[in-house]
Amino acid sequence: MLGWIAFVVVCVGIGGIAGTATQTDTDQAVGEWGRAERMIEAGHFDDPAVENVLITARSGRLDADAASAAATEAAGRLHGLSQVASVSAPVTAPGGKAVLVRAAMTGAADDAGTNVQPLLDATAAVQAAHPDLRVEEVGGGTIDKALDKTYGEDFQRAEVLSLPVTLVILIVAFGALLAAAVPVLLALTSVAAAMGLSALSSHLLPVTDTTASVVLLIGMAVGVDYSLFYVRRAREERARGRTALDAVEIAAATSGRAVVISGCTVAVAMAGMFLSGSVIFSSLALGAILVVAVSVLGSITVLPAVLAGLGRWVDRPRVPFLHRLTMRPGRAPRLWPALLRPTLRRPALALGVGAGALLLLALPALGMKTSLTGVADLPRSIPALQTYDRLTAAFPSEGASDVVVVRGPDAAAVRTALLDLNGRAAADPHFAPGPQPDLDVSPDGSTSRLTLHVRADAESAAAKEALTLVRTQFVPATVGRVPGASVAVGGDTAASVDFSRSLSDRLPLVVGFVLGLTFLLVLWTFRSVVVAATAIVLNLLSVGAAYGLMVAVFQHTWAEGLLGFRSNGTIVAWLPMFLFVVLFGLSMDYHVFVVSRIRELALRGVPTRDAVRQGIVGSAGAVTSAAVVMVAVFSIFGTLSGLEFKQMGVGLAAAVLLDATLVRAVLLPAAMTLLGKWNWWAPALLRRNQALPEDTPGELVRV
């Protein structure tokens, strides 16, 4: 135990000293969008953060004189701030419905959210001086600051809720406070150690803003699962009359072995993200593998040490009524045998109905559409985003944009071609041209950048049509004809389209890698081709059903009021791959634990049908408790403001619920009962020198 504490402290300390290296936008860019971002970075363009002061009427027509006075005052106040580099002359919207003052900030654009408060204070002072007008500010810094506040409060609420919810569920499961606290403490210390190791490894592979959240999510899930399986098995053995030390040793030989195997399968699933072609997924994979490895290490070292040290005190202090329900060694459970009875009596019917239900749930996944979330998908309860909507309504050129980047030896020819391209876009209804072409040239003159402002939201079909038009018609007809020029089209819509396409192209490779390695690992673990194949098929069914539920909920509008979101008709581009590896890993977690119990009984000579019944009944309490914890925690994520977190929370919660109920209580026992002795079939090489269940086929025994 002292060694574990020292390990955690050292990991946290090393992580704190090393600090965390984060990815840049250029690191994350892929495809043609990535080429455009790298060309812009190489050109060293001066891109300061810009804040916009928007002046509109509260109702009716805008008073031009009052708006002009407010704009002059705003420009004067902003100009006197050290955080402001320059202030543009006020611009009046077509029809005189709004006036805009733009302020370029000093310092790095990434720091705008931290430095923007003095500008907001100046805008608030102008608003106070002109109460009859609406004077408000919006920009990258303002939105970043608002999102940091909103998401920070969301995650704080999720953390505050998840720990008590987990503890309450474990107290109900164990009926004792210490037994409930042990899994939570192991999970928390594992997450802390993994965070430190993740910070250290970030200097080899920079992390994203979401890596810490994934480490926490996965770490709490597997940490609680592994220790819960271990603690329950040790309690069961003590209830059968074993000494405390003997019970821990038996738990180590059974549940401990299953934990190591489960950890390996989860790590294999997470490793699939390294093949995604995205540094975002690579960093998530590394963080997830680290926390799983630390959780497994804790489960086979400090956890048995704690259980051996506590002995029977692990069941103290008792919760009277709950403890009597959870510790009844002389009484057989009634609920799970009753639930299993119809499945074991008619396994073919149960398998057909269960598989049919999951396939039906998976059907909507065939119509899945993906995109990255943009400004249009952020919660409109945030005042800065309401201001953004009014800004883009009055000045369409302030919204989404396509960025044409050109590097070429003949700067004059490039400029002429870009002006021609701008003229073509100005004549097309997809674009919102400004008074002048938005054309920049890098300080060394080697790279030119033309920004084309789109009238639609970046994720809309119209914006994607505009991007296709630029890439396939405007560019080839203009800058594409400049000799020696290198051209790439980036921007908001390009980021979504190229990132989604890259992940879609890589998804089959990731799926194949995860399925192949998981099959081999389960095959080697259980020495059975049939068990490995069954595991793959059942987990694919549960993942497919989760995809279908996500599409049904989030690509349509019927659940908007229920979950508090606005549908954009798509699933977040990174979720299908992320959910596949996470759900496959967590599903294998349960599968390995349950099948390990069944195999353990079969090796003792129990017939397969009885081994299935006893194995599932014996493991049902642990699996159900673990699943309830995960569903509760994931459901909390479904209440957060961000659309991507809602989709992730609902998808994970639904998949775990289906997996722990329909898959483990119906499909698995039905399939194993139907297969009978053939569950344990494997080639002779795997069977050599291995113990065999009594009802193994005779030809295999002879081999």
Side-chain angles (χ1 to χ4, degrees):
M1 287 187 280
L2 290 175
W4 178 255
I5 293 171
F7 169 73
V8 174
V9 169
V10 168
C11 289
V12 172
I14 290 176
I17 293 170
T20 302
T22 57
Q23 297 173 7
T24 65
D25 292 341
T26 305
D27 292 333
Q28 299 173 1
V30 295
E32 186 173 347
W33 162 52
R35 287 196 291 113
E37 289 295 316
R38 287 186 285 275
M39 289 167 66
I40 292 172
E41 184 177 57
H44 301 289
F45 286 87
D46 182 19
D47 289 323
V50 174
E51 288 293 306
N52 304 282
V53 178
L54 181 68
I55 303 168
T56 56
R58 292 193 175 276
S59 61
R61 188 174 180 81
L62 179 65
D63 185 324
D65 293 336
S68 177
T72 301
E73 182 179 346
R77 287 181 178 271
L78 292 172
H79 192 70
L81 298 175
S82 61
Q83 293 82 5
V84 175
S86 63
V87 180
S88 65
V91 178
T92 302
K97 55 186 177 182
V99 175
L100 179 66
V101 177
R102 293 166 57 88
M105 296 182 64
T106 57
D110 292 341
D111 299 329
T114 305
N115 301 328
V116 76
Q117 188 58 49
L119 283 73
L120 292 171
D121 294 338
T123 302
V126 177
Q127 174 65 86
H130 300 270
D132 295 335
L133 300 173
R134 183 190 284 117
V135 183
E136 49 196 348
E137 181 180 332
V138 68
T142 307
I143 292 176
D144 286 346
K145 184 179 180 65
L147 291 179
D148 287 345
K149 180 175 183 295
T150 300
Y151 287 167
E153 292 173 351
D154 278 354
F155 281 113
Q156 186 177 11
R157 186 176 72 251
E159 291 169 3
V160 168
L161 287 175
S162 60
L163 281 179
V165 166
T166 301
L167 271 174
V168 167
I169 294 169
L170 292 177
I171 289 171
V172 172
F174 288 120
L177 297 184
L178 275 178
V182 167
V184 174
L185 288 174
L186 177 66
L188 288 176
T189 52
S190 298
V191 168
M195 289 281 196
L197 294 175
S198 179
L200 183 62
S201 66
S202 71
H203 294 278
L204 296 175
L205 181 61
V207 301
T208 69
D209 294 337
T210 56
T211 300
S213 300
V214 169
V215 169
L216 176 63
L217 194 69
I218 302 299
M220 289 300 296
V222 299
V224 169
D225 273 10
Y226 295 162
S227 51
L228 193 151
F229 296 159
Y230 219 113
V231 173
R232 284 195 73 101
R233 184 57 186 262
R235 292 181 89 206
E236 288 175 13
E237 296 302 327
R238 287 202 316 274
R240 294 188 180 112
R242 310 277 189 181
T243 65
L245 188 56
D246 287 343
V248 172
E249 289 179 345
I250 293 172
T254 54
S255 294
R257 178 177 181 274
V259 162
V260 174
I261 298 166
S262 296
C264 291
T265 57
V266 175
V268 164
M270 299 301 170
M273 289 191 284
F274 285 122
L275 302 178
S276 66
S278 167
V279 293
I280 298 175
F281 279 92
S282 295
S283 72
L284 296 182
L286 184 57
I289 290 172
L290 284 173
V291 77
V292 169
V294 173
S295 298
V296 170
L297 178 64
S299 298
I300 60 176
T301 56
V302 70
L303 181 57
V306 168
L307 295 178
L310 289 174
R312 294 187 179 275
W313 282 96
V314 75
D315 291 326
R316 303 286 193 279
R318 296 178 176 178
V319 181
F321 175 72
L322 293 176
H323 190 268
R324 285 197 299 273
L325 288 178
T326 58
M327 291 296 289
R328 299 182 299 178
R331 298 177 60 185
R334 297 179 180 178
L335 176 61
W336 278 97
L339 293 175
L340 278 174
R341 196 172 296 121
T343 297
L344 298 179
R345 186 178 298 157
R346 291 184 172 82
L349 178 62
L351 184 63
V353 172
L358 288 180
L359 289 172
L360 189 63
L361 286 173
L363 275 179
L366 298 175
M368 181 185 290
K369 300 176 183 177
T370 62
S371 70
L372 287 179
T373 53
V375 176
D377 303 312
L378 297 174
R380 260 40 198 179
S381 57
I382 300 175
L385 294 172
Q386 298 173 14
T387 304
Y388 175 84
D389 290 340
R390 285 189 282 268
L391 173 68
T392 53
F395 297 91
S397 62
E398 297 299 321
S401 59
D402 295 329
V403 181
V404 183
V405 189
V406 186
R407 183 186 295 130
D410 189 344
V414 169
R415 177 179 176 80
T416 301
L418 284 175
L419 291 176
D420 181 14
L421 193 158
N422 185 76
R424 293 169 186 256
D428 189 279
H430 287 94
F431 300 94
Q436 301 178 25
D438 194 348
L439 177 60
D440 297 326
V441 180
S442 64
D444 63 1
S446 65
T447 308
S448 299
R449 177 179 62 180
L450 175 67
T451 302
L452 303 174
H453 301 282
V454 183
R455 294 185 183 276
D457 292 331
E459 304 301 326
S460 66
K464 293 174 182 177
E465 290 173 4
L467 175 66
T468 301
L469 195 63
V470 173
R471 285 180 168 177
T472 61
Q473 296 186 30
F474 293 171
V475 165
T478 55
V479 288
R481 296 181 176 179
V482 177
S486 175
V487 187
V489 181
D492 307 318
T493 306
S496 177
V497 170
D498 292 348
F499 190 78
S500 298
R501 182 182 296 123
S502 174
L503 292 187
S504 297
D505 292 343
R506 291 277 185 154
L507 185 58
L509 179 62
V510 174
V511 170
F513 172 85
V514 173
L515 294 183
L517 275 190
T518 302
F519 179 85
L520 293 175
L521 183 60
V522 177
L523 174 64
W524 182 254
T525 300
F526 292 107
R527 303 298 196 268
S528 169
V529 172
V530 177
V531 168
T534 303
I536 297 296
V537 172
L538 293 182
N539 285 315
L540 283 176
L541 282 173
S542 63
V543 170
Y547 279 179
L549 279 171
M550 236 179 11
V551 170
V553 171
F554 289 102
Q555 281 191 198
H556 305 285
T557 59
W558 65 270
E560 288 182 333
L562 181 65
L563 296 176
F565 72 96
R566 185 171 64 176
S567 174
N568 63 2
T570 65
I571 301 299
V572 179
W574 55 267
L575 266 180
M577 185 179 293
F578 178 78
L579 286 183
F580 173 79
V581 297
V582 172
L583 293 178
F584 209 86
L586 296 180
S587 296
M588 287 305 302
D589 217 13
Y590 295 150
H591 192 88
V592 167
F593 184 70
V594 173
V595 175
S596 294
R597 291 293 291 265
I598 295 172
R599 184 173 184 270
E600 180 187 336
L601 291 163
L603 289 173
R604 293 178 189 167
V606 178
T608 298
R609 181 185 291 267
D610 291 337
V612 169
R613 179 179 58 81
Q614 293 176 35
I616 290 179
V617 169
S619 60
V623 170
T624 303
S625 301
V628 170
V629 169
M630 279 208 239
V631 170
V633 172
F634 294 155
S635 297
I636 291 172
F637 274 77
T639 67
L640 302 186
S641 302
L643 181 62
E644 61 268 47
F645 297 117
K646 284 185 181 295
Q647 292 185 1
M648 181 178 70
V650 171
L652 288 171
V656 171
L657 183 61
L658 287 171
D659 191 79
T661 53
L662 187 57
V663 174
R664 302 301 153 214
V666 177
L667 296 183
L668 177 63
M672 294 193 77
T673 300
L674 281 173
L675 290 166
K677 59 188 180 180
W678 294 101
N679 280 296
W680 316 111
W681 183 86
L685 178 63
L686 290 176
R687 282 295 177 182
R688 191 170 298 157
N689 298 324
Q690 295 297 322
L692 299 173
E694 273 192 2
D695 57 353
T696 299
E699 58 270 27
L700 289 183
V701 175
R702 286 192 295 274
V703 171

